[in-house]
Amino acid sequence: MGLLTIGCNTGYSIKQMIDTSLNHFWKISYGQIYPMLKLLADKGYATVEDFAQEGKPDKKEYQITAAGTQALKNWLKQPISELTVEKNELLLKLFFSRHQDPQSVQHHLENYQKKLEERYNTYAGIKEMISTQLKDEEDAPFWIITLNYGLKTTQAAIDWCQETKELSLKKEG
């Protein structure tokens, strides 16, 4: 429902927004988006209007209703019930690393750190773009808040990689 409040009114535009902005902390597929939009319309939280397109299937545009806005506000007020469990392939490999040579462990850590540094740079670039080009957007402060979370947790993971590489090097020596 939140995406309907910022101008994402089709399944396609919702997926684009998720893939370009939200995928750093929320992933969803078309197979989840379209049934959810139908459910929102069925519950009266959104209206839907069909638009004919030449040579393409009809486009459905959704608009949030007053009931949908209230449901969104109610959801936003609810406390977080639990922390999500992160699936992390590197941690799983490290957990069983007595079965691999120390050089492989170092390689995994270096590769992971490189990916984290790339992610950090992406987040920093997005933050800079919002801070300069989109600073007048009503939602900009909240976008910055979520980016700051990504920047801080990514930096912590980079620091952890560095410390872990140093620890495993000491163990080798």
Side-chain angles (χ1 to χ4, degrees), residues 3-145:
L3 291 172
L4 293 177
T5 70
I6 60 170
C8 296
N9 299 82
T10 65
Y12 178 79
S13 65
I14 288 170
K15 180 68 169 136
Q16 292 303 109
M17 174 60 92
I18 289 170
D19 287 351
T20 58
S21 294
L22 305 178
N23 71 333
H24 304 290
F25 59 90
W26 198 262
K27 299 201 183 300
I28 195 168
S29 68
Y30 282 117
Q32 295 168 292
I33 293 170
Y34 288 109
M36 181 56 67
L37 286 170
K38 182 179 180 339
L39 180 66
L40 292 175
D42 290 347
K43 286 185 169 192
Y45 295 156
T47 59
V48 60
E49 191 173 345
D50 289 325
F51 290 93
Q53 300 185 104
E54 194 173 315
K56 298 179 186 177
D58 288 355
K59 177 169 74 169
K60 293 181 182 294
E61 283 197 9
Y62 296 82
Q63 301 293 327
I64 194 163
T65 63
T69 300
Q70 188 57 52
L72 175 62
K73 288 178 179 180
N74 291 342
W75 175 77
L76 289 168
K77 288 179 185 177
Q78 293 175 5
I80 305 302
S81 58
E82 61 185 63
L83 294 176
T84 56
V85 175
E86 177 187 358
K87 286 177 146 181
N88 186 313
E89 185 180 358
L90 174 69
L91 293 178
L92 192 59
K93 287 183 177 194
L94 291 176
F95 189 83
F96 296 108
S97 282
R98 76 175 171 93
H99 300 287
Q100 67 176 331
D101 60 273
Q103 293 80 17
S104 292
V105 173
Q106 285 294 315
H107 177 73
H108 285 315
L109 288 164
E110 288 167 6
N111 186 44
Y112 192 71
Q113 183 174 343
K114 181 180 176 201
K115 289 180 186 312
L116 287 167
E117 289 166 350
E118 290 168 1
R119 176 185 285 175
Y120 186 92
N121 291 334
T122 297
Y123 290 169
I126 294 168
K127 183 177 179 179
E128 176 65 22
M129 185 265 301
I130 291 171
S131 298
T132 57
Q133 299 173 23
L134 302 174
K135 64 183 175 200
D136 295 331
E137 291 286 330
E138 189 175 9
D139 292 315
F142 305 104
W143 297 339
I144 295 293
I145 288 168

